[in-house]
Amino acid sequence: MAIQPFQINIPDEVLDDMRQRIANTRWPDEIPNTDWDYGSNMAYVRELADYWLNEFDWRKQEAMLNGFSQFRADVEGMGIHYIHERGKGPNPIPLVITHGWPSTFFEMYKIIPLLSDPASHGGNAEDAFDVIAPSMPSYGFSDRTTERGWSVSRVGDMWVSLMDVLGYDKFGAHGGDWGAGVTARLGYAHPDRMIGVHVTAVSATPHLDDDSPPLTDAEKEFHRARAQWREDEGAYGHIQGTKPQTLSYGLMDSPCRTGGMDSREVPRMVGLQRRCGERLYEGRAADEHHHLLGDADDKFVGANILRVAAAPLNMKKGEKITPPSAVARFPKDIGYPPREWAERVFNLQQWTEMPDGGHFAAMEKPEALVEDLRSFFRPLR
């Protein structure tokens, strides 16, 4: 299975086309004073579009990303893009970190240096990791799927093959959002390969029957809040899970598809920015003064059209994810499960209540997330 070095190099004509499409945006009407009640706020979207048109510097972002060691490998017949940063320490352990949606490997750019070279960032060299940050199929610079049946579980199985290609027998895993589903699958289906699993979301569902301990009040409230969130915010998930092809006609003008591998998946138009940006906004640990454009990483709102389904991992009776497991719970996350719910699913060895932070922890609270990863894996080395 060939491994090839990879560098991002988007042609100028693609970037020029992106700017032209943004400049030619046809804006819809908006009911006055509705803020975000009916979806993406008009003033905010216009501000974002203006930023993309007049301030955003893709070449600066491209150069930053090309500072990482990037590769593409043939994994089970599919080209998979990934960052592979070797740890700088006496005994780095391999750690695969998986992004969520709407996202790419870019979600992890802040934590990769902290994990791979802790001594250069105020940490201890003995906590170093070999960091592997792949792009899921159909995301970033990985190949697109061309058949039915893809799910986060299948991606988890593919990561085992990727780690085989890279020569790692045992490894750790981390993820949030859909990356948490991939990570849970690794612990569930490949426990013999796992040093430990660390997540910021409990995406697996335990088996519940008359023999199970009754739900606690906290678990009941978690289910009530999750159902309410799906009612209020989950429309995007329903259409993407049932009629993604219909949605794609409205979004297909956004990612560039000029034929060359190195020119794909640059966000080009307001439609896709809003589809993904609304989820980023909604998942932030925002207070009334926080604005999404305040952070440089949020100015790069990039994701692919959805082609990998988030099929849930449902435990059978008596089953559990057996490798040592950790959950870092951020208070403004989407879905906030109590510890006892996680204990039904995981062999839970570490549970951390973070003081602040939201759904995209690697971007929002990189130092806190990395310190939690270090403390969890330290006794497992």
Side-chain angles (χ1 to χ4, degrees):
M1 296 183 180
I3 296 176
Q4 297 293 332
F6 180 80
Q7 289 274 279
I8 305 168
N9 182 23
I10 305 301
D12 286 339
E13 56 266 28
V14 171
L15 303 179
D16 291 341
D17 182 67
M18 178 187 72
R19 285 186 284 269
Q20 182 178 354
R21 290 170 183 270
I22 294 172
N24 293 334
T25 299
R26 291 183 294 179
W27 296 99
D29 295 330
E30 182 183 51
I31 297 176
N33 303 315
T34 54
D35 196 35
W36 288 74
D37 293 347
Y38 292 157
S40 298
N41 175 262
M42 177 75 77
Y44 171 79
V45 178
R46 283 184 175 274
E47 184 179 354
L48 180 60
D50 181 74
Y51 169 80
W52 268 80
L53 186 62
N54 297 306
E55 297 182 51
F56 178 73
D57 185 349
W58 165 254
R59 294 302 180 199
K60 181 179 178 180
Q61 300 294 334
E62 188 176 73
M64 182 274 292
L65 292 172
N66 283 336
F68 291 109
S69 299
Q70 297 181 72
F71 304 89
R72 271 179 49 103
D74 181 352
V75 183
E76 299 180 6
M78 178 172 286
I80 296 297
H81 165 264
Y82 60 97
I83 288 174
H84 189 186
E85 288 291 333
R86 300 281 183 175
K88 296 180 180 179
N91 186 32
I93 62 173
L95 178 70
V96 60
I97 56 178
T98 308
H99 63 83
W101 180 92
S103 189
T104 67
F105 70 101
F106 181 86
E107 179 184 338
M108 304 297 184
Y109 86 94
K110 288 182 178 180
I111 68 173
I112 293 172
L114 306 181
L115 291 168
S116 61
D117 188 9
S120 295
H121 299 88
N124 190 322
E126 294 182 355
D127 287 327
F129 295 88
D130 283 353
V131 181
I132 300 91
S135 296
M136 289 196 289
S138 296
Y139 289 72
F141 298 98
S142 289
D143 284 354
R144 295 180 178 85
T145 58
T146 57
E147 59 186 2
R148 296 173 184 259
W150 277 91
S151 68
V152 291
S153 290
R154 187 169 175 182
V155 174
D157 297 340
M158 176 175 269
W159 282 183
V160 173
S161 298
L162 172 63
M163 299 303 273
D164 286 340
V165 172
L166 298 180
Y168 294 116
D169 179 35
K170 297 192 66 125
F171 56 95
H174 161 75
D177 192 78
W178 287 16
V182 173
T183 301
R185 172 65 181 185
L186 285 166
Y188 173 74
H190 307 280
D192 57 320
R193 303 293 299 271
M194 303 310 299
I195 298 171
V197 297
H198 183 285
V199 295
T200 60
V202 181
S203 57
T205 303
H207 176 85
L208 297 174
D209 60 19
D210 292 340
D211 296 327
S212 303
L215 294 178
T216 65
D217 289 344
E219 287 176 308
K220 292 176 183 177
E221 172 57 23
F222 164 61
H223 286 288
R224 185 208 63 77
R226 185 165 63 175
Q228 187 64 51
W229 182 89
R230 287 174 176 166
E231 178 70 20
D232 295 341
E233 302 288 347
Y236 77 98
H238 189 68
I239 190 171
Q240 288 172 177
T242 57
K243 296 294 184 289
Q245 185 66 35
T246 300
L247 183 67
S248 71
Y249 296 110
L251 299 180
M252 197 53 199
D253 219 14
S254 298
C256 68
R257 302 189 68 167
T258 58
M261 179 188 67
D262 63 346
S263 64
R264 298 182 311 192
E265 306 308 347
V266 178
R268 299 201 314 181
M269 199 170 125
V270 169
L272 186 66
Q273 290 176 14
R274 285 300 77 237
R275 188 68 179 173
C276 301
E278 184 175 322
R279 300 273 62 81
L280 287 168
Y281 185 96
E282 191 270 337
R284 296 288 301 212
D287 60 30
E288 62 181 354
H289 303 296
H290 182 80
H291 196 282
L292 195 63
L293 287 180
D295 294 338
D297 49 276
D298 290 327
K299 296 174 183 177
F300 177 52
V301 180
N304 296 327
I305 288 180
L306 188 60
R307 294 198 182 183
V308 179
L313 176 61
N314 295 313
M315 306 280 105
K316 298 177 183 177
K317 187 170 184 176
E319 288 186 331
K320 208 169 191 178
I321 295 171
T322 58
S325 305
V327 176
R329 195 172 83 153
F330 289 84
K332 298 297 183 180
D333 201 351
I334 302 170
Y336 196 58
R339 177 171 185 152
E340 52 265 39
W341 183 254
E343 288 175 335
R344 294 177 188 267
V345 174
F346 292 109
N347 172 18
L348 194 65
Q349 302 296 306
Q350 179 172 294
W351 174 269
T352 306
E353 296 274 359
M354 294 293 182
D356 55 9
H359 192 60
F360 300 96
M363 290 180 121
E364 287 188 70
K365 302 294 177 182
E367 292 84 4
L369 177 60
V370 166
E371 184 51 44
D372 203 66
L373 281 158
R374 290 172 182 167
S375 66
F376 171 61
F377 281 101
R378 198 170 288 138
L380 301 177
R381 291 177 175 270

